[in-house]
Amino acid sequence: MPPLVIDRFPLKRIIVQSQWWKTILLVCLGIFIISFDHGFSVAVIFFIALISLLDGVAAPVSAALVPQLVPKEERMKANGFLNVITQTIFVAG
């Protein structure tokens, strides 16, 4: 994620908007898959790529939010918990 984006917008706004866009893209992907045709295969791959890109945006932003939300004594525990949750979601997906 370029520092220009992080410097320009608040982290909370970036993560909320990336998750909203990811949700919208997942709904569109579901609609395309329900009415799947060979002509839509490129669109499905495009949606998957965009969803992955938004996941790539959300991961560093959520890691950057930890120091702002958690006291210094609890950061190692919070980072570990965040990584466990993130990896569990990736494995489930």
Side-chain angles (χ1 to χ4, degrees):
M1 175 138 199
L4 295 173
V5 175
I6 290 177
D7 291 342
R8 178 178 263 178
F9 301 106
L11 295 176
K12 184 178 176 183
R13 181 177 174 193
I14 295 170
I15 199 164
V16 167
Q17 286 188 357
S18 71
Q19 295 306 305
W20 273 112
W21 279 109
K22 191 167 91 171
T23 302
I24 291 167
L25 289 172
L26 282 169
V27 169
C28 292
L29 178 62
I31 291 169
F32 277 135
I33 288 177
I34 289 172
S35 63
F36 187 76
D37 188 17
H38 292 293
F40 289 120
S41 60
V42 173
V44 169
I45 293 170
F46 181 72
F47 279 117
I48 291 171
L50 286 176
I51 291 166
S52 297
L53 177 70
L54 290 172
D55 274 337
V57 168
V61 171
S62 62
L65 278 172
V66 170
Q68 294 179 5
L69 300 174
V70 179
K72 191 173 186 175
E73 306 82 37
E74 300 286 326
R75 284 187 192 155
M76 185 176 287
K77 185 177 178 181
N79 280 328
F81 182 71
L82 181 64
N83 285 331
V84 166
I85 295 296
T86 303
Q87 292 302 316
T88 302
I89 291 170
F90 285 151
V91 168

Coordinates of all heavy atoms in Angstrom, one line a residue:
M1 N 0.8 -1.2 0.0 CA 0.0 0.0 0.0 C 0.9 1.2 0.0 O 1.7 1.4 0.9 CB -0.9 0.0 1.2 CG -1.7 1.1 1.4 SD -3.3 0.5 2.0 CE -4.3 1.8 1.7
P2 N 0.7 2.1 -1.0 CA 1.5 3.3 -1.0 C 1.3 4.2 0.2 O 0.2 4.4 0.7 CB 1.1 4.0 -2.3 CG 0.3 3.0 -3.0 CD -0.2 2.0 -2.1
P3 N 2.4 4.8 0.7 CA 2.2 5.7 1.9 C 1.4 6.9 1.6 O 0.8 7.5 2.5 CB 3.7 6.1 2.2 CG 4.5 5.1 1.5 CD 3.8 4.5 0.4
L4 N 1.2 7.2 0.3 CA 0.4 8.4 -0.1 C -1.1 8.1 0.4 O -1.7 9.1 0.8 CB 0.5 8.7 -1.6 CG 1.8 9.1 -2.1 CD1 1.8 9.2 -3.6 CD2 2.2 10.4 -1.5
V5 N -1.5 6.9 0.2 CA -2.9 6.6 0.6 C -3.1 6.7 2.1 O -4.0 7.2 2.6 CB -3.4 5.3 0.0 CG1 -4.7 4.9 0.5 CG2 -3.3 5.3 -1.5
I6 N -2.1 6.0 2.8 CA -2.2 6.0 4.3 C -2.0 7.4 4.8 O -2.7 7.7 5.8 CB -1.1 5.0 4.8 CG1 -1.5 3.6 4.5 CG2 -1.0 5.1 6.3 CD1 -0.5 2.5 4.9
D7 N -1.2 8.2 4.2 CA -1.0 9.6 4.7 C -2.2 10.5 4.4 O -2.4 11.4 5.2 CB 0.3 10.2 4.1 CG 1.5 9.5 4.6 OD1 1.5 8.8 5.7 OD2 2.6 9.7 4.0
R8 N -2.9 10.2 3.4 CA -4.0 11.0 3.0 C -5.3 10.8 3.7 O -6.0 11.7 4.0 CB -4.2 10.9 1.4 CG -5.3 11.8 0.9 CD -5.4 11.6 -0.6 NE -4.7 12.7 -1.2 CZ -4.5 12.9 -2.4 NH1 -5.0 12.0 -3.3 NH2 -3.9 14.0 -2.9
F9 N -5.6 9.5 4.0 CA -6.9 9.1 4.6 C -6.6 8.5 5.9 O -5.6 7.8 6.2 CB -7.6 8.2 3.7 CG -7.9 8.7 2.3 CD1 -7.2 8.3 1.2 CD2 -8.9 9.7 2.1 CE1 -7.4 8.8 -0.1 CE2 -9.1 10.2 0.8 CZ -8.4 9.7 -0.2
P10 N -7.6 8.6 6.8 CA -7.5 7.9 8.1 C -7.6 6.4 7.9 O -8.3 5.9 7.0 CB -8.8 8.4 8.9 CG -9.3 9.6 8.1 CD -8.8 9.5 6.7
L11 N -6.8 5.7 8.8 CA -6.8 4.2 8.6 C -8.1 3.6 8.8 O -8.4 2.6 8.0 CB -5.8 3.7 9.7 CG -4.3 4.1 9.5 CD1 -3.5 3.5 10.7 CD2 -3.8 3.6 8.2
K12 N -8.9 4.1 9.7 CA -10.3 3.5 9.9 C -11.1 3.6 8.6 O -11.8 2.7 8.2 CB -11.0 4.1 11.0 CG -12.3 3.5 11.4 CD -12.9 4.2 12.6 CE -14.3 3.6 12.8 NZ -15.0 4.3 13.9
R13 N -11.0 4.7 7.9 CA -11.8 5.0 6.7 C -11.3 4.0 5.6 O -12.1 3.5 4.8 CB -11.6 6.4 6.3 CG -12.4 6.7 5.0 CD -12.3 8.2 4.7 NE -12.9 8.4 3.4 CZ -12.8 9.6 2.7 NH1 -12.0 10.5 3.2 NH2 -13.3 9.7 1.6
I14 N -10.0 3.8 5.5 CA -9.4 2.9 4.5 C -9.9 1.5 4.7 O -10.4 0.9 3.7 CB -7.9 3.0 4.5 CG1 -7.4 4.4 4.1 CG2 -7.3 1.9 3.6 CD1 -5.9 4.6 4.3
I15 N -9.9 1.0 5.9 CA -10.2 -0.3 6.2 C -11.7 -0.5 6.0 O -12.2 -1.6 5.4 CB -9.7 -0.8 7.5 CG1 -9.7 -2.4 7.6 CG2 -10.5 -0.3 8.7 CD1 -8.9 -3.0 8.7
V16 N -12.5 0.4 6.4 CA -14.0 0.3 6.3 C -14.4 0.3 4.8 O -15.2 -0.6 4.3 CB -14.7 1.4 7.0 CG1 -16.2 1.5 6.7 CG2 -14.6 1.2 8.5
Q17 N -13.8 1.2 4.0 CA -14.2 1.3 2.6 C -13.6 0.0 1.8 O -14.3 -0.5 1.0 CB -13.6 2.6 2.0 CG -14.4 3.8 2.4 CD -14.0 5.0 1.7 OE1 -13.1 5.0 0.8 NE2 -14.7 6.1 1.9
S18 N -12.5 -0.5 2.2 CA -12.0 -1.6 1.5 C -12.9 -2.8 1.8 O -13.1 -3.7 0.9 CB -10.5 -1.9 1.9 OG -10.4 -2.4 3.2
Q19 N -13.4 -2.9 3.0 CA -14.3 -4.1 3.4 C -15.6 -3.9 2.7 O -16.2 -4.9 2.3 CB -14.4 -4.2 4.9 CG -13.1 -4.6 5.6 CD -12.5 -5.8 5.0 OE1 -13.1 -6.9 4.9 NE2 -11.2 -5.7 4.6
W20 N -16.1 -2.7 2.6 CA -17.4 -2.5 1.9 C -17.2 -2.9 0.4 O -18.1 -3.5 -0.2 CB -17.9 -1.0 2.0 CG -18.7 -0.8 3.2 CD1 -18.4 -0.1 4.3 CD2 -20.0 -1.3 3.5 NE1 -19.4 -0.1 5.2 CE2 -20.4 -0.9 4.7 CE3 -20.9 -2.2 2.8 CZ2 -21.6 -1.2 5.3 CZ3 -22.1 -2.5 3.3 CH2 -22.5 -2.0 4.6
W21 N -16.2 -2.4 -0.2 CA -15.9 -2.7 -1.7 C -15.8 -4.2 -1.8 O -16.2 -4.8 -2.8 CB -14.7 -2.0 -2.2 CG -15.1 -0.6 -2.6 CD1 -14.7 0.6 -2.0 CD2 -16.0 -0.2 -3.7 NE1 -15.3 1.7 -2.6 CE2 -16.0 1.2 -3.7 CE3 -16.6 -0.9 -4.7 CZ2 -16.8 1.9 -4.6 CZ3 -17.4 -0.1 -5.6 CH2 -17.5 1.2 -5.5
K22 N -15.1 -4.9 -0.9 CA -14.9 -6.3 -1.0 C -16.3 -7.0 -0.9 O -16.5 -8.0 -1.6 CB -14.0 -6.8 0.1 CG -13.5 -8.2 -0.1 CD -12.4 -8.6 0.9 CE -12.9 -9.1 2.1 NZ -11.9 -9.7 3.0
T23 N -17.1 -6.6 0.0 CA -18.5 -7.1 0.1 C -19.3 -7.0 -1.2 O -19.9 -7.9 -1.7 CB -19.2 -6.5 1.3 OG1 -18.4 -6.7 2.5 CG2 -20.6 -7.1 1.5
I24 N -19.2 -5.8 -1.8 CA -19.9 -5.5 -3.0 C -19.4 -6.4 -4.1 O -20.2 -7.0 -4.9 CB -19.8 -4.0 -3.4 CG1 -20.6 -3.1 -2.4 CG2 -20.3 -3.8 -4.8 CD1 -20.3 -1.7 -2.5
L25 N -18.1 -6.5 -4.2 CA -17.5 -7.4 -5.2 C -17.9 -8.9 -5.0 O -18.1 -9.6 -6.0 CB -16.0 -7.2 -5.3 CG -15.5 -5.9 -5.8 CD1 -14.0 -5.8 -5.6 CD2 -15.9 -5.8 -7.3
L26 N -17.9 -9.3 -3.8 CA -18.3 -10.7 -3.5 C -19.8 -10.9 -3.9 O -20.1 -12.0 -4.4 CB -18.1 -11.0 -2.0 CG -16.7 -11.3 -1.6 CD1 -16.6 -11.3 -0.1 CD2 -16.2 -12.6 -2.2
V27 N -20.6 -10.0 -3.7 CA -22.0 -10.1 -4.1 C -22.1 -10.2 -5.6 O -22.8 -11.0 -6.2 CB -22.9 -9.0 -3.6 CG1 -24.3 -8.9 -4.2 CG2 -23.0 -9.1 -2.1
C28 N -21.4 -9.3 -6.3 CA -21.3 -9.3 -7.8 C -20.8 -10.7 -8.3 O -21.3 -11.2 -9.3 CB -20.5 -8.2 -8.3 SG -21.3 -6.6 -8.1
L29 N -19.7 -11.1 -7.6 CA -19.2 -12.4 -8.0 C -20.2 -13.6 -7.8 O -20.3 -14.4 -8.7 CB -17.9 -12.7 -7.2 CG -17.2 -14.0 -7.4 CD1 -16.7 -14.1 -8.8 CD2 -16.1 -14.2 -6.4
G30 N -20.9 -13.5 -6.8 CA -22.0 -14.5 -6.6 C -23.0 -14.5 -7.6 O -23.5 -15.5 -8.1
I31 N -23.4 -13.3 -8.1 CA -24.4 -13.1 -9.1 C -23.8 -13.7 -10.5 O -24.5 -14.4 -11.2 CB -24.8 -11.7 -9.3 CG1 -25.6 -11.2 -8.1 CG2 -25.6 -11.5 -10.6 CD1 -25.9 -9.7 -8.0
F32 N -22.6 -13.4 -10.8 CA -22.0 -13.9 -12.0 C -21.8 -15.4 -11.9 O -22.0 -16.1 -13.0 CB -20.6 -13.3 -12.2 CG -20.6 -12.0 -12.9 CD1 -19.8 -10.9 -12.4 CD2 -21.4 -11.7 -14.0 CE1 -19.9 -9.7 -13.0 CE2 -21.5 -10.5 -14.6 CZ -20.7 -9.5 -14.1
I33 N -21.5 -16.0 -10.8 CA -21.4 -17.4 -10.7 C -22.7 -18.1 -10.9 O -22.8 -19.2 -11.5 CB -20.7 -17.8 -9.4 CG1 -19.2 -17.4 -9.5 CG2 -20.8 -19.3 -9.1 CD1 -18.4 -17.7 -8.3
I34 N -23.8 -17.5 -10.3 CA -25.1 -18.1 -10.4 C -25.5 -18.2 -11.9 O -26.0 -19.2 -12.4 CB -26.2 -17.4 -9.6 CG1 -25.9 -17.6 -8.1 CG2 -27.6 -17.7 -10.0 CD1 -26.8 -16.7 -7.2
S35 N -25.2 -17.2 -12.7 CA -25.6 -17.1 -14.1 C -24.3 -17.3 -14.9 O -24.1 -16.6 -15.9 CB -26.3 -15.8 -14.4 OG -25.4 -14.8 -14.2
F36 N -23.4 -18.3 -14.5 CA -22.1 -18.4 -15.1 C -22.3 -18.9 -16.6 O -23.0 -19.8 -16.9 CB -21.3 -19.5 -14.4 CG -19.9 -19.6 -14.8 CD1 -19.0 -18.6 -14.5 CD2 -19.5 -20.6 -15.7 CE1 -17.7 -18.7 -15.0 CE2 -18.2 -20.7 -16.1 CZ -17.3 -19.7 -15.8
D37 N -21.5 -18.2 -17.4 CA -21.4 -18.5 -18.8 C -19.9 -18.3 -19.2 O -19.2 -17.6 -18.5 CB -22.3 -17.5 -19.6 CG -22.4 -17.9 -21.1 OD1 -22.1 -19.0 -21.4 OD2 -22.8 -17.0 -21.9
H38 N -19.5 -18.9 -20.2 CA -18.1 -18.8 -20.6 C -17.7 -17.4 -20.9 O -16.5 -17.0 -20.8 CB -17.8 -19.7 -21.8 CG -17.9 -21.2 -21.4 ND1 -17.0 -21.8 -20.6 CD2 -18.8 -22.1 -21.8 CE1 -17.4 -23.1 -20.4 NE2 -18.4 -23.3 -21.2
G39 N -18.6 -16.6 -21.3 CA -18.3 -15.2 -21.6 C -18.0 -14.4 -20.3 O -17.3 -13.4 -20.3
F40 N -18.4 -14.9 -19.1 CA -18.2 -14.2 -17.9 C -17.0 -14.7 -17.1 O -16.7 -14.2 -16.1 CB -19.4 -14.4 -16.9 CG -20.6 -13.6 -17.4 CD1 -21.8 -14.3 -17.7 CD2 -20.6 -12.3 -17.5 CE1 -22.9 -13.6 -18.1 CE2 -21.7 -11.5 -17.9 CZ -22.9 -12.2 -18.2
S41 N -16.3 -15.7 -17.7 CA -15.1 -16.2 -17.0 C -14.0 -15.2 -16.8 O -13.4 -15.2 -15.7 CB -14.5 -17.4 -17.7 OG -14.1 -17.1 -19.0
V42 N -13.8 -14.3 -17.7 CA -12.9 -13.2 -17.5 C -13.3 -12.3 -16.4 O -12.5 -11.8 -15.6 CB -12.6 -12.4 -18.8 CG1 -11.8 -11.2 -18.6 CG2 -12.1 -13.3 -19.9
A43 N -14.6 -12.0 -16.3 CA -15.2 -11.1 -15.3 C -15.0 -11.8 -13.9 O -14.7 -11.1 -12.9 CB -16.6 -10.8 -15.5
V44 N -15.2 -13.1 -13.8 CA -15.0 -13.8 -12.5 C -13.6 -13.7 -12.1 O -13.3 -13.4 -10.9 CB -15.5 -15.3 -12.7 CG1 -15.0 -16.1 -11.5 CG2 -16.9 -15.4 -12.9
I45 N -12.6 -13.9 -13.0 CA -11.2 -13.8 -12.6 C -10.9 -12.4 -12.2 O -10.1 -12.1 -11.3 CB -10.3 -14.3 -13.8 CG1 -10.5 -15.8 -14.0 CG2 -8.9 -13.9 -13.6 CD1 -9.9 -16.3 -15.3
F46 N -11.5 -11.4 -12.9 CA -11.3 -10.0 -12.6 C -11.8 -9.7 -11.2 O -11.1 -9.0 -10.4 CB -11.9 -9.1 -13.6 CG -11.8 -7.6 -13.4 CD1 -10.6 -7.0 -13.6 CD2 -12.9 -6.9 -13.0 CE1 -10.4 -5.7 -13.4 CE2 -12.7 -5.5 -12.7 CZ -11.5 -4.9 -13.0
F47 N -13.0 -10.2 -10.8 CA -13.5 -10.0 -9.5 C -12.7 -10.6 -8.4 O -12.4 -10.0 -7.4 CB -15.0 -10.5 -9.4 CG -16.0 -9.6 -10.0 CD1 -16.7 -9.9 -11.0 CD2 -16.2 -8.3 -9.4 CE1 -17.7 -9.1 -11.6 CE2 -17.1 -7.4 -9.9 CZ -17.9 -7.8 -11.0
I48 N -12.2 -11.8 -8.7 CA -11.3 -12.5 -7.7 C -10.0 -11.7 -7.5 O -9.5 -11.5 -6.4 CB -11.0 -13.9 -8.2 CG1 -12.3 -14.7 -8.1 CG2 -9.9 -14.6 -7.3 CD1 -12.2 -16.1 -8.7
A49 N -9.5 -11.1 -8.6 CA -8.2 -10.3 -8.5 C -8.5 -9.1 -7.6 O -7.7 -8.7 -6.8 CB -7.7 -10.0 -9.8
L50 N -9.6 -8.4 -7.9 CA -9.9 -7.2 -7.1 C -10.2 -7.5 -5.6 O -9.7 -6.7 -4.8 CB -11.1 -6.5 -7.7 CG -10.9 -5.7 -9.0 CD1 -12.2 -5.2 -9.5 CD2 -9.9 -4.6 -8.8
I51 N -10.8 -8.6 -5.4 CA -11.1 -9.0 -4.0 C -9.7 -9.3 -3.3 O -9.5 -8.9 -2.1 CB -12.0 -10.2 -3.9 CG1 -13.4 -9.8 -4.3 CG2 -12.1 -10.8 -2.5 CD1 -14.4 -10.9 -4.6
S52 N -8.8 -9.9 -3.9 CA -7.5 -10.2 -3.4 C -6.7 -8.9 -3.2 O -6.0 -8.8 -2.2 CB -6.7 -11.1 -4.3 OG -7.3 -12.4 -4.4
L53 N -6.8 -8.0 -4.1 CA -6.2 -6.7 -3.9 C -6.7 -6.0 -2.7 O -6.0 -5.4 -1.9 CB -6.4 -5.8 -5.2 CG -5.8 -4.4 -5.1 CD1 -4.3 -4.5 -5.1 CD2 -6.4 -3.6 -6.2
L54 N -8.0 -6.0 -2.5 CA -8.6 -5.4 -1.3 C -8.2 -6.1 0.0 O -8.0 -5.4 1.0 CB -10.1 -5.3 -1.4 CG -10.6 -4.3 -2.5 CD1 -12.1 -4.5 -2.7 CD2 -10.3 -2.9 -2.1
D55 N -8.0 -7.4 0.0 CA -7.5 -8.1 1.1 C -6.0 -7.6 1.4 O -5.6 -7.5 2.5 CB -7.5 -9.6 0.9 CG -8.8 -10.3 1.2 OD1 -9.5 -9.7 2.1 OD2 -9.1 -11.3 0.7
G56 N -5.3 -7.4 0.3 CA -3.9 -6.9 0.5 C -3.9 -5.5 1.0 O -2.9 -5.1 1.6
V57 N -4.9 -4.7 0.8 CA -5.0 -3.4 1.4 C -5.4 -3.5 2.9 O -4.8 -2.8 3.7 CB -6.1 -2.5 0.7 CG1 -6.4 -1.2 1.4 CG2 -5.5 -2.2 -0.7
A58 N -6.3 -4.3 3.2 CA -6.8 -4.4 4.6 C -5.8 -5.0 5.6 O -5.8 -4.5 6.7 CB -8.1 -5.3 4.6
A59 N -5.0 -5.9 5.2 CA -4.0 -6.5 6.1 C -3.0 -5.5 6.7 O -2.9 -5.5 7.9 CB -3.3 -7.7 5.4
P60 N -2.3 -4.7 5.9 CA -1.4 -3.8 6.5 C -2.1 -2.7 7.3 O -1.5 -2.2 8.3 CB -0.6 -3.3 5.4 CG -1.2 -3.6 4.1 CD -2.2 -4.8 4.4
V61 N -3.3 -2.3 6.8 CA -4.0 -1.2 7.5 C -4.4 -1.7 8.9 O -4.3 -1.0 9.9 CB -5.2 -0.7 6.7 CG1 -6.0 0.2 7.5 CG2 -4.7 0.0 5.5
S62 N -4.9 -3.0 9.0 CA -5.3 -3.5 10.3 C -4.1 -3.6 11.2 O -4.2 -3.4 12.4 CB -6.1 -4.8 10.1 OG -5.3 -5.8 9.6
A63 N -3.0 -4.0 10.7 CA -1.8 -4.1 11.5 C -1.3 -2.7 12.0 O -0.8 -2.6 13.1 CB -0.7 -4.8 10.7
A64 N -1.5 -1.7 11.1 CA -1.1 -0.4 11.5 C -2.1 0.2 12.6 O -1.7 1.1 13.3 CB -1.1 0.5 10.3
L65 N -3.3 -0.3 12.6 CA -4.3 0.2 13.6 C -4.0 -0.4 15.0 O -4.4 0.3 16.0 CB -5.7 -0.2 13.2 CG -6.4 0.7 12.2 CD1 -7.7 0.1 11.7 CD2 -6.6 2.1 12.8
V66 N -3.3 -1.5 15.1 CA -3.1 -2.1 16.4 C -2.4 -1.2 17.4 O -2.8 -1.0 18.5 CB -2.3 -3.5 16.3 CG1 -1.9 -4.0 17.6 CG2 -3.2 -4.5 15.6
P67 N -1.3 -0.5 17.0 CA -0.6 0.4 18.0 C -1.5 1.6 18.4 O -1.3 2.1 19.5 CB 0.6 0.9 17.2 CG 0.8 -0.1 16.1 CD -0.5 -0.6 15.8
Q68 N -2.5 2.0 17.6 CA -3.3 3.1 17.9 C -4.4 2.6 18.9 O -5.0 3.5 19.7 CB -4.0 3.7 16.7 CG -3.0 4.3 15.8 CD -3.7 4.9 14.5 OE1 -4.9 4.9 14.4 NE2 -2.9 5.4 13.6
L69 N -4.8 1.3 18.9 CA -5.9 0.9 19.7 C -5.5 0.1 20.9 O -6.3 0.0 21.9 CB -6.8 0.0 18.8 CG -7.4 0.6 17.5 CD1 -8.1 -0.4 16.7 CD2 -8.3 1.7 17.9
V70 N -4.3 -0.4 21.0 CA -3.9 -1.3 22.0 C -2.8 -0.7 22.8 O -1.9 -0.2 22.2 CB -3.5 -2.7 21.5 CG1 -3.1 -3.6 22.6 CG2 -4.6 -3.3 20.7
P71 N -2.8 -0.8 24.2 CA -1.7 -0.2 24.9 C -0.4 -1.0 24.7 O -0.4 -2.2 24.2 CB -2.1 -0.5 26.4 CG -3.6 -0.8 26.4 CD -3.9 -1.3 25.0
K72 N 0.7 -0.3 24.9 CA 2.0 -0.9 24.5 C 2.2 -2.3 25.2 O 2.8 -3.1 24.5 CB 3.1 0.1 24.9 CG 4.5 -0.3 24.4 CD 5.5 0.8 24.7 CE 6.8 0.5 24.0 NZ 7.7 1.6 24.2
E73 N 1.8 -2.5 26.4 CA 2.0 -3.7 27.1 C 1.3 -4.9 26.4 O 1.6 -6.1 26.6 CB 1.6 -3.6 28.6 CG 2.2 -2.5 29.3 CD 1.5 -1.2 29.1 OE1 0.2 -1.2 29.0 OE2 2.2 -0.1 29.0
E74 N 0.2 -4.6 25.8 CA -0.7 -5.6 25.2 C -0.5 -5.9 23.7 O -1.1 -6.7 23.1 CB -2.1 -5.3 25.4 CG -2.5 -5.1 26.9 CD -2.7 -6.5 27.6 OE1 -3.1 -7.4 26.9 OE2 -2.3 -6.6 28.7
R75 N 0.4 -5.1 23.1 CA 0.6 -5.2 21.6 C 1.0 -6.5 21.1 O 0.5 -7.0 20.0 CB 1.6 -4.1 21.1 CG 0.9 -2.7 21.1 CD 1.8 -1.7 20.5 NE 1.3 -0.4 20.8 CZ 2.0 0.7 20.9 NH1 3.2 0.7 20.6 NH2 1.4 1.9 21.2
M76 N 2.0 -7.2 21.7 CA 2.4 -8.5 21.3 C 1.3 -9.5 21.3 O 1.1 -10.2 20.3 CB 3.6 -9.0 22.1 CG 4.2 -10.3 21.5 SD 5.6 -10.8 22.4 CE 6.8 -9.6 21.9
K77 N 0.5 -9.5 22.3 CA -0.6 -10.4 22.4 C -1.7 -10.0 21.4 O -2.2 -10.9 20.7 CB -1.2 -10.3 23.8 CG -2.3 -11.2 24.1 CD -2.8 -11.1 25.6 CE -3.9 -12.0 25.9 NZ -4.4 -11.9 27.2
A78 N -1.9 -8.8 21.2 CA -2.9 -8.3 20.2 C -2.5 -8.7 18.7 O -3.3 -9.1 17.9 CB -3.2 -6.8 20.3
N79 N -1.2 -8.5 18.4 CA -0.7 -8.8 17.1 C -0.8 -10.3 16.9 O -1.1 -10.8 15.8 CB 0.8 -8.4 17.0 CG 0.9 -6.9 16.6 OD1 0.0 -6.3 16.0 ND2 2.0 -6.3 17.1
G80 N -0.4 -11.1 17.9 CA -0.6 -12.6 17.7 C -2.0 -13.0 17.5 O -2.3 -13.8 16.6
F81 N -2.9 -12.4 18.3 CA -4.3 -12.7 18.1 C -4.8 -12.3 16.7 O -5.5 -13.1 16.1 CB -5.2 -12.0 19.2 CG -6.6 -12.3 19.1 CD1 -7.1 -13.6 19.5 CD2 -7.5 -11.3 18.7 CE1 -8.5 -13.8 19.4 CE2 -8.9 -11.6 18.6 CZ -9.3 -12.9 19.0
L82 N -4.4 -11.1 16.2 CA -4.8 -10.7 14.9 C -4.3 -11.6 13.8 O -5.0 -11.9 12.9 CB -4.3 -9.2 14.7 CG -4.7 -8.6 13.4 CD1 -6.2 -8.4 13.2 CD2 -4.0 -7.3 13.2
N83 N -3.1 -12.1 14.0 CA -2.5 -13.0 13.0 C -3.2 -14.3 13.0 O -3.4 -14.9 11.9 CB -1.0 -13.2 13.2 CG -0.2 -11.9 12.8 OD1 -0.6 -11.2 11.9 ND2 0.9 -11.7 13.4
V84 N -3.6 -14.8 14.2 CA -4.3 -16.1 14.3 C -5.6 -16.0 13.6 O -6.1 -16.8 12.8 CB -4.4 -16.6 15.7 CG1 -5.4 -17.7 15.9 CG2 -3.1 -17.0 16.3
I85 N -6.4 -14.9 13.8 CA -7.7 -14.7 13.2 C -7.6 -14.6 11.7 O -8.3 -15.2 11.0 CB -8.4 -13.4 13.8 CG1 -8.7 -13.6 15.3 CG2 -9.6 -13.1 13.1 CD1 -9.7 -14.7 15.6
T86 N -6.6 -13.8 11.3 CA -6.4 -13.6 9.8 C -6.1 -14.9 9.1 O -6.7 -15.2 8.1 CB -5.3 -12.5 9.6 OG1 -5.6 -11.3 10.2 CG2 -5.1 -12.3 8.1
Q87 N -5.2 -15.7 9.7 CA -4.8 -16.9 9.1 C -5.9 -17.9 9.1 O -6.1 -18.7 8.2 CB -3.5 -17.5 9.8 CG -2.3 -16.7 9.5 CD -1.9 -16.6 8.1 OE1 -2.0 -17.5 7.3 NE2 -1.6 -15.3 7.7
T88 N -6.7 -17.9 10.2 CA -7.9 -18.8 10.2 C -8.9 -18.5 9.1 O -9.4 -19.4 8.5 CB -8.5 -18.7 11.6 OG1 -7.6 -19.0 12.6 CG2 -9.7 -19.7 11.8
I89 N -9.1 -17.2 8.9 CA -10.0 -16.8 7.9 C -9.5 -17.2 6.5 O -10.3 -17.7 5.6 CB -10.3 -15.3 7.9 CG1 -11.1 -15.0 9.2 CG2 -11.0 -14.8 6.7 CD1 -11.2 -13.5 9.5
F90 N -8.2 -17.0 6.3 CA -7.6 -17.4 5.0 C -7.7 -18.9 4.8 O -8.0 -19.4 3.7 CB -6.2 -17.0 4.9 CG -6.0 -15.5 4.7 CD1 -4.8 -14.9 5.1 CD2 -6.9 -14.8 4.0 CE1 -4.6 -13.6 4.9 CE2 -6.7 -13.4 3.8 CZ -5.6 -12.8 4.2
V91 N -7.5 -19.7 5.8 CA -7.6 -21.2 5.7 C -9.0 -21.6 5.4 O -9.3 -22.5 4.6 CB -7.0 -21.9 6.9 CG1 -7.4 -23.4 7.0 CG2 -5.5 -21.7 7.0
A92 N -10.0 -21.0 6.1 CA -11.4 -21.3 5.9 C -11.9 -20.9 4.5 O -12.7 -21.6 3.9 CB -12.2 -20.6 7.0
G93 N -11.3 -19.8 4.0 CA -11.7 -19.4 2.7 C -11.1 -20.3 1.6 O -11.7 -20.5 0.6

